[in-house]
Amino acid sequence: MPYHAKTIVVGSGNILFKDDGFGPIVVNLLEKYFENETEDDFDPMVISYIENEFSKEVLKEVEAKVRDVDLTGEVKFIDAGNGATHFIFSLPDECWEKVIVVDVVEFDAEPGTVRTFSPYEMPRDKYENVHTWSVEEPLHELAESCEVVIVGCKPGEISTPDVKLGLSDAVEKAIPEAVESILNEIK
C-alpha cells in the first residue's frame, strides 16, 4: 500500500466544482510546506492555483501556522479527489493510527465555518461526494481500526455540474483555521 504512515491526511473533493475543492487544496498546500525530499505528491495544477490566484494574506496566515512545526514523524498527505476516498478508506494499512479527512461538510453554520467531526456525528445524508455516494459507512468501518476525524468546512458554493475553479472567499479565508485544526490533530 503506498500510504504507509502513522497519520494520513486525506483531502477529499473535486477542484473543478468551486468549494468542493477545499480538501484537495488544503492537503496540497500542506504538502507544499512539508515537502518530503524523496516524494513529490502534490498536484501541480492545484499548486499553480495557490501560487497565482490565492489571497496573499491567507498564504501568510498559513505560513505563520506551519513555520515552527516539525512533521518528521510519519505523516502522509493525500489528495484523494472523489472516488479515491472509497479506495483509500476501504483498504487501510495496519500502521495507520489516525486518519484526518479534510472536506466540505454541509452543517448548520455560515459558509467558511470550520469544525472537527467524528465519523459518527456527521450530518446524516449530508456527507456525500459529488456522485452522491455516502462516505459515512466507509468512515465508520475505518474507525474500527484507527482513529478517524473529519476537518470539515461549510461550503459557500458547490457548482456541480458546472465547472468553476477557485474557492469562495469565505472558504478560502477558512484555510488557516483548517490548517491549524489539522496540525492540532497530528500532534
Side-chain angles (χ1 to χ4, degrees), residues 42-93:
F42 52 81
D43 182 331
M45 184 174 126
V46 175
I47 296 301
S48 175
Y49 163 73
I50 290 168
E51 290 174 345
N52 297 312
E53 298 180 40
F54 234 58
S55 159
K56 299 306 177 205
E57 265 116 68
V58 169
L59 289 177
K60 284 180 185 176
E61 285 183 57
V62 171
E63 288 171 8
K65 293 192 182 300
V66 301
R67 183 175 299 125
D68 297 322
V69 176
D70 180 15
L71 294 183
T72 55
E74 293 187 44
V75 177
K76 177 87 174 145
F77 299 99
I78 303 165
D79 177 349
N82 280 324
T85 55
H86 295 284
F87 173 73
I88 292 167
F89 299 155
S90 63
L91 295 171
D93 190 294

Side-chain angles (χ1 to χ4, degrees), residues 1-8 74 88 90-99 142 144-147:
M1 182 88 183
Y3 308 123
H4 187 76
K6 289 182 180 181
T7 301
I8 64 169
E74 293 187 44
I88 292 167
S90 63
L91 295 171
D93 190 294
E94 66 275 355
C95 79
W96 292 0
E97 294 176 5
K98 189 170 205 171
V99 174
L142 182 60
E144 294 173 12
S145 61
C146 67
E147 183 181 0

Side-chain angles (χ1 to χ4, degrees), residues 25-58:
I25 288 169
V26 170
V27 296
N28 277 278
L29 184 60
L30 287 167
E31 178 71 25
K32 180 181 187 297
Y33 285 113
F34 297 110
E35 190 173 352
N36 183 325
E37 294 174 9
T38 62
E39 297 179 21
D40 183 8
D41 291 336
F42 52 81
D43 182 331
M45 184 174 126
V46 175
I47 296 301
S48 175
Y49 163 73
I50 290 168
E51 290 174 345
N52 297 312
E53 298 180 40
F54 234 58
S55 159
K56 299 306 177 205
E57 265 116 68
V58 169

Side-chain angles (χ1 to χ4, degrees), residues 8 14-15 18-19 26 28 35 37 56 58 61 65 69-70 97 108 122 137 150-151 163 171 175 186:
I8 64 169
N14 190 328
I15 64 167
K18 199 82 174 151
D19 289 343
V26 170
N28 277 278
E35 190 173 352
E37 294 174 9
K56 299 306 177 205
V58 169
E61 285 183 57
K65 293 192 182 300
V69 176
D70 180 15
E97 294 176 5
D108 188 23
M122 293 303 299
E137 186 177 330
I150 298 98
V151 174
V163 173
V171 171
I175 287 180
I186 290 171

